[in-house]
Every structure is written in C-alpha cells, then in structure tokens.
Amino acid sequence: MSEAPKEPAKTPIQNGRWAAPQEPETITVVLNEQRVDALAGSTVQGLLETHPHPGKFPPLAAIVNGRLRPLDHTLVSNCRVKTVDYASKEGAMVYRRTCTLLLCETAREIDPDLNPVVGQSILGGYFFSFKRAGVWLPKAGPGLLRRLKRRMHEIVDEDRPVRVRRVAVEAALQHFHGIGAWDKVKLLETTRRAEVQWASIGAYRDLILGPLAPSTGLLQKFDLAPWASGLVLRFPTPDFQIRPRFQSESRLYDAYRETRAWNEELGITNIGTLNEAVIRGQVSEVIRIAEGFHERKICALADEIKARAQEVRLVLVAGPSSSGKTTFTKRLEVQLRVVGLRPVALSMDNYYVNREDTPKHADGTYDFECIEALDLDLFNDQVLRLIRGEEVETPIYSFPLGRRIEKTISRRLRPGDVLITEGIHCLNERLTVGVAREQKHKIYVSALTQLSIDDHNRIFTSDVRLLRRLVRDRLYRNYSAAQTLKQWSSVRAGENRYIFPFQEEADAMFNSALVYEQAVIRTYAERFLLEVPLDDPNMSEAYRLMRFLHLLVPLFPEEVPQNSILREFIGGSAFRY
C-alpha cells in the first residue's frame, strides 16, 4: 500500500499574506545563577537535563521571575529561574501540597465516599478528620490508617505523574456539584475567575492553589499517625527525616477545636462560606458573634484568675509576633476589674539590658529576642518584692538610647492587685524563676485560624500573623511590605526557639484569630503587597500572598468593633498602645 501524500507544511499568516516559517526565538535564562541560552518554549524541567539542580534534594518547583512555578512551566522570554527543593520554604510547601493530594486520592481509592478534611498544623504535619458521604466519622480507626498508609506508599512506588489541567470554572463547578464537594462549589461560585486549575494522580481531581511536584515518586518520606478523632499527615524535618516520636500538643489541639466549634456554630468554615456571607450582606452578624466569642473567652479567663486570687499574684501573657497579645492583655485587664481584681501592668520592655550588654548573633547583629537580652535578675528581684508588698522603683528603658534612663516608676501592690505582663518569654520559667509556680497564671495567645480555603487546602496560621504584621508595619511603623517580608524568616526562627517550645506550659490558651479578618485584611494588604518591586528577593512570597487574598471577597472595616484585636493592626482601636 502506497503512503498517502503528505500535506504541505503550513505557514503562518502575517497581514493577510503567507509568510515564511520563523526560526525559534532564542532566550537567555539565568538558571540558578548560571546563564543558559535556550529556545523560547523550553521548560524548566528540560533545562535541568543539561544543567542539573544544585541542591541536596531533588527539585520540586522553580521560582521564575519572582513567581513560584511548576517544573513543566514554559519559558517564553528572558528570565531568572531558581529551582527549589525540600530544603527551602517554597519547596516544602510544594511537597506538603502534593502529599495532601496523595492522601485525598488514596482515600477515594479505598472508599469513593471517604473525604479527608484538613485541619490545623500540629505535631509536624496536618491534622485530618474524615467524612463519609458528608457525615463526620467519630474516629478514624487503626484499620483505615493502615490501609491508607500502605496504599499511599504503593502509589509513591508507582511514581505516578501528577497531571495538572486548566479548566473553565463552569466545567469545574459541574464536576464538583456532581461529587457533592460543596466547599469547592461555594469557593468557585464566589470568585470571578474564568478558569481554575485542578490536579490528579488517578481518578480523583482536586483544585490546586499552587505548584505540585511532577510525580509521586518524589514523596519518599511522610507518615500517618493517629490523633484524636483522625490522623496527622506528618512531613519530614528540614533535613528530610521523619522524627520517630513527637511531643504532646493537647492544649494547642483543644484551642484549635474550640475555634472550630465557634466557626461551625457561625456556619463559616471555609472561604466560600465567608465570601457568601459578605456578598449577601450577612457578615455584620458574623462579626458581632465572632467578637462575642472572644469576649466570652476573655471573661472566662478572668474568672479563672479570680478563682485563684488567693494564690495568683502574677499573670504572664506570651505569644508569637502579631498574635494580638497587647490588645488581649488590655481587654483582660478590663475583665479582671469587672470581677474585682486590680491589674497592675509591668512592661517587659523596660527590663532590657543596656545595648552594649545585649547578646549578638553569629553575624554580629544584636539578638534582642533571646531571653538573655533581658535583665532576669532585676526582673525577678523586683517582682518578688512587689509580691511581698514592698515599694519598688521599676526602670524605664529608652530604645533610641539603648539603655535605661535615670527616671523610674514607683510601684506597690495593694491587696486585690495582680501584676500582669506580656512578652515572648513569659511562658519560660527562666523569666520568673524566683516566683513560685502556684503564684503565676500563664496564658498563651496566638492567631490559630480554623478557617480553611476548602476541605483540602488550609490557611497557614503564620500567614494570618504575617498579614497582620505587614499591614500594621506599613500603616504605623514606616516599614514597607518588602521590609516586613524580609524580616519574617528571622522572626519565625525566634518564635521556634523562644516561644513554641513552651506553649504547652500555659495554664490557658486564647485564640485571637477572627473568622472574618482575612476579608478585612485584604483591603489593606493587597494594596501594600503591590508595592513590592518585581525584582525583590521576596517577590515570590508577595505573589503567593496576593494569590491567596484574591480568593476573598474584600470587606470594609467600618463594622469592626473598636476593642477588636483586629484594630491593633488596622487602626481605630479604643486602646492606646
């Protein structure tokens, strides 16, 4: 049989005329600081074949001109490309996102009606509870956990490709309607995108909000551990190891679950339901009830302290950056007065050592966050003397001068008075080693959001605090968004060292997150993030945050109460700071 004649090669049309085919355009790619000449249309993955990733671990994605992209991203013009692996924050996020997709696919393979629902970050991973046909399972038994773990490892060994498609929103809505994924339906109905991306490693499809690893074979290390009613999908440590054991975080879990219950009572558990409330004009009631939950909790904490009034003489409030410690403390002082106690504020800022005595980092910069930056001996001595009823001359520290000034403040505790102070080290026993434990009441404050994007995409609690800080810094501290983003990794390192290890030592926890706050924060943060230069080293983080904020319907701040913790960051607070 003779071959069919070949069709003549088609040529492009320019200005209504046939034009000769053009040669592929050559572009310049700075790949991991190495100049590479490539053809337009090349992918990052293709370039890695001749210019391998320099990291310790396999590449998972790439930052292309400040934006995190998958490895199959097509390069069409001159650009700078940095590939990322698990050792980087961006790479770890890609790994975790892909592991979550793996868990969802595996659950649907085992039981098409089984749906893992993501919760808080805890124990080095993500907590998941389970629904079957829309009904919560009271407990994920050991049999289910074993089946999930075994099948997940089998899919990793199969090294399945992770397929990502861009589809019209209408097609995605039809699909998610069909499987009863109402969390995703509400999210898509309240956004105005024309297209979305979904991914699959089998039959199951899920919305994705960032790049994924190219194949399941890269997910070599993870673990499933039973916890409460569900399980924790545990991820490797930064050196890519799974810790054999992990510490208890029961108090933290209880704080999360309390907030989750608040959200469920409000009917606002994900961004789709929040957006719907904003669009329908129902958010005023949401704000009032959310703030009411906060007030009720603060009242309960004041009652706890009152019940221990015979022994408690010192209330210590600790929490990470932008957790709302200052406003919380002021509101607690009000409620302590309501129950008949007189709070006496003692500022930790006045107990810093002189600048020349401040410890330094390895690079020679001052380490103001370490506990040795405080005069522990003076603080303990004066607190003990105050508790004994003595009059004390407490210091005043000048940050511009870097030392204490001569002026002091006279203080004495009367019967019914209670000292109250807040600071990052307040849960650390070293700070108040001279005070008997029964004389102290420790409270941990943090923004532990339980609002999720949808059932499988969580909002990072650290992002809530970062956005708060970014807005406050830009409005009131003369710091640009780029400067705040640059400092954030150092802030987080200090928290991991000085705050989080002590959080379970608290007598009580207060979750300062508000279910509606991201919609208000968007109004400010989106504008400030646009000021980050395109060539700034933190552009990838700014871009990631803007993509998240775009999911939210913006909410104007007029209805936020003046005593709200959110006012500490957006302004208009009834308190003075």
Side-chain angles (χ1 to χ4, degrees):
M1 181 181 293
S2 61
E3 295 184 359
K6 296 181 179 179
E7 293 185 9
K10 294 181 179 180
T11 56
I13 299 176
Q14 294 180 354
N15 299 323
R17 298 181 180 180
W18 293 104
Q22 295 182 350
E23 292 294 324
E25 180 184 358
T26 300
I27 60 174
T28 299
V29 179
V30 180
L31 176 62
N32 297 320
E33 303 303 324
Q34 182 179 359
R35 177 179 171 137
V36 178
D37 291 327
L39 296 178
S42 300
T43 65
V44 177
Q45 185 75 69
L47 296 184
L48 290 176
E49 294 177 4
T50 52
H51 299 79
H53 171 67
K56 179 180 178 181
F57 306 117
L60 296 168
I63 298 174
V64 181
N65 286 343
R67 296 169 174 84
L68 190 64
R69 303 294 194 189
L71 289 179
D72 64 358
H73 178 71
T74 301
L75 307 174
V76 296
S77 61
N78 297 345
C79 55
R80 298 187 67 89
V81 178
K82 176 186 176 183
T83 50
V84 296
D85 58 28
Y86 194 80
S88 67
K89 175 183 177 180
E90 295 85 357
M93 291 173 64
V94 171
Y95 191 95
R96 294 182 174 202
R97 191 181 298 122
T98 314
C99 277
T100 300
L101 178 64
L102 172 63
L103 174 61
C104 293
E105 167 66 28
T106 305
R108 294 303 174 98
E109 280 193 14
I110 291 174
D111 182 348
D113 292 326
L114 190 64
N115 180 32
V117 180
V118 71
Q120 61 269 22
S121 175
I122 197 168
L123 305 173
Y126 298 161
F127 174 76
F128 284 86
S129 47
F130 288 86
K131 287 183 177 180
R132 179 176 282 119
V135 179
W136 289 107
L137 293 183
K139 191 171 183 63
L144 175 60
L145 190 145
R146 285 194 298 269
R147 292 172 65 194
L148 287 169
K149 189 173 181 178
R150 180 174 63 249
R151 185 59 185 137
M152 287 175 72
H153 281 292
E154 289 173 353
I155 295 174
V156 169
D157 291 340
E158 292 170 13
D159 195 19
R160 294 185 186 179
V162 178
R163 296 184 174 90
V164 178
R165 283 185 56 201
R166 186 175 293 276
V167 297
V169 166
E170 292 78 10
L173 275 169
Q174 182 179 1
H175 171 75
F176 291 121
H177 262 291
I179 64 173
W182 306 116
D183 57 312
K184 303 181 196 305
V185 169
K186 285 190 179 294
L187 180 65
L188 294 175
E189 286 180 341
T190 56
T191 59
R192 293 298 178 262
R193 296 184 177 187
E195 295 180 324
V196 293
Q197 286 186 316
W198 67 26
S200 64
I201 53 178
Y204 176 69
R205 302 168 186 170
D206 206 349
L207 289 179
I208 62 165
L209 301 171
L212 298 170
S215 70
T216 61
L218 292 166
L219 308 178
Q220 287 296 312
K221 291 191 178 179
F222 61 86
D223 190 26
L224 299 183
W227 183 259
S229 62
L231 59 83
V232 177
L233 172 59
R234 300 180 60 223
F235 305 113
T237 55
D239 59 352
F240 208 61
Q241 300 297 319
I242 296 291
R243 291 179 296 178
R245 301 180 66 180
F246 50 83
Q247 74 279 11
S248 171
E249 293 184 359
S250 56
R251 287 189 182 275
L252 189 64
Y253 175 78
D254 290 342
Y256 277 119
R257 297 308 299 168
E258 179 181 53
T259 305
R260 186 83 172 194
W262 291 351
N263 292 358
E264 288 171 356
E265 189 171 333
L266 278 168
I268 308 292
T269 57
N270 52 54
I271 284 182
T273 52
L274 175 60
N275 285 347
E276 187 177 55
V278 176
I279 291 170
R280 293 186 176 182
Q282 301 167 340
V283 77
S284 296
E285 184 178 6
V286 170
I287 292 173
R288 288 193 295 271
I289 296 174
E291 294 288 349
F293 283 138
H294 268 193
E295 194 66 21
R296 185 176 69 177
K297 181 67 175 180
I298 295 171
C299 290
L301 293 173
D303 288 339
E304 289 178 16
I305 296 168
K306 173 66 173 180
R308 299 182 58 205
Q310 294 300 315
E311 55 183 359
V312 171
R313 304 304 308 278
L314 177 62
V315 176
L316 296 147
V317 180
S321 172
S322 302
S323 57
K325 298 184 295 295
T326 304
T327 302
F328 165 80
T329 302
K330 291 181 179 297
R331 288 176 64 175
L332 179 62
E333 289 174 3
V334 172
Q335 293 303 325
L336 288 173
R337 290 186 178 276
V338 169
V339 297
L341 297 177
R342 290 185 298 272
V344 177
L346 190 64
S347 174
M348 289 299 308
D349 287 349
N350 287 323
Y351 288 89
Y352 277 97
V353 299
N354 292 335
R355 187 69 45 82
E356 62 269 20
D357 299 321
T358 303
K360 295 182 179 180
H361 293 290
D363 62 1
T365 59
Y366 290 110
D367 183 359
F368 295 111
E369 294 188 329
C370 70
I371 195 168
E372 290 79 14
L374 299 170
D375 191 334
L376 300 179
D377 292 336
L378 178 63
F379 183 74
N380 274 270
D381 174 69
Q382 293 200 336
V383 168
L384 280 171
R385 290 169 57 197
L386 284 167
I387 288 174
R388 290 196 295 261
E390 299 177 21
E391 186 173 350
V392 173
E393 296 295 324
T394 59
I396 299 175
Y397 190 89
S398 168
F399 283 93
L401 296 176
R403 58 176 175 81
R404 296 178 198 136
I405 62 175
E406 293 184 5
K407 185 179 178 181
T408 59
I409 302 174
S410 295
R411 299 180 190 274
R412 183 194 295 271
L413 291 188
R414 300 169 297 170
D417 287 352
V418 58
L419 276 174
I420 186 167
T421 188
E422 56 105 345
I424 65 172
H425 298 292
C426 280
L427 299 183
N428 188 338
E429 274 295 302
R430 285 186 62 196
L431 179 69
T432 53
V433 66
V435 183
R437 183 62 180 89
E438 62 270 16
Q439 291 183 305
K440 296 178 280 195
H441 194 84
K442 299 181 178 182
I443 302 174
Y444 177 71
V445 179
S446 192
L448 309 169
T449 183
Q450 278 295 279
L451 187 74
S452 63
I453 296 173
D454 59 28
D455 281 356
H456 308 139
N457 291 283
R458 56 187 299 275
I459 297 173
F460 300 108
T461 56
S462 59
D463 281 353
V464 175
R465 295 188 294 106
L466 172 56
L467 288 167
R468 285 178 172 184
R469 179 173 174 136
L470 186 147
V471 170
R472 182 191 61 193
D473 285 357
R474 174 62 172 75
L475 287 174
Y476 302 110
R477 298 188 176 181
N478 200 30
Y479 277 88
S480 68
Q483 289 172 307
T484 300
L485 293 174
K486 180 181 179 181
Q487 293 175 343
W488 189 241
S489 60
S490 176
V491 171
R492 294 280 289 151
E495 294 169 352
N496 288 326
R497 183 176 179 184
Y498 302 122
I499 301 175
F500 299 145
F502 304 100
Q503 61 192 15
E504 287 294 316
E505 296 183 17
D507 296 297
M509 289 194 177
F510 177 79
N511 188 350
S512 69
L514 289 157
V515 71
Y516 69 88
E517 72 173 272
Q518 284 86 9
V520 176
I521 286 290
R522 176 186 172 173
T523 308
Y524 301 87
E526 188 175 34
R527 164 68 180 81
F528 299 152
L529 286 166
L530 287 170
E531 297 173 0
V532 178
L534 292 175
D535 59 351
D536 189 276
N538 294 286
M539 181 60 202
S540 63
E541 184 73 343
Y543 179 69
R544 180 184 69 83
L545 292 170
M546 283 191 287
R547 288 193 65 186
F548 161 64
L549 292 170
H550 287 168
L551 298 172
L552 293 147
V553 175
L555 176 61
F556 296 111
E558 282 74 14
E559 293 190 73
V560 178
Q562 287 186 315
N563 70 338
S564 173
I565 280 174
L566 189 55
R567 288 288 180 187
E568 184 175 328
F569 307 97
I570 65 172
S573 177
F575 299 110
R576 292 184 179 181
Y577 301 106

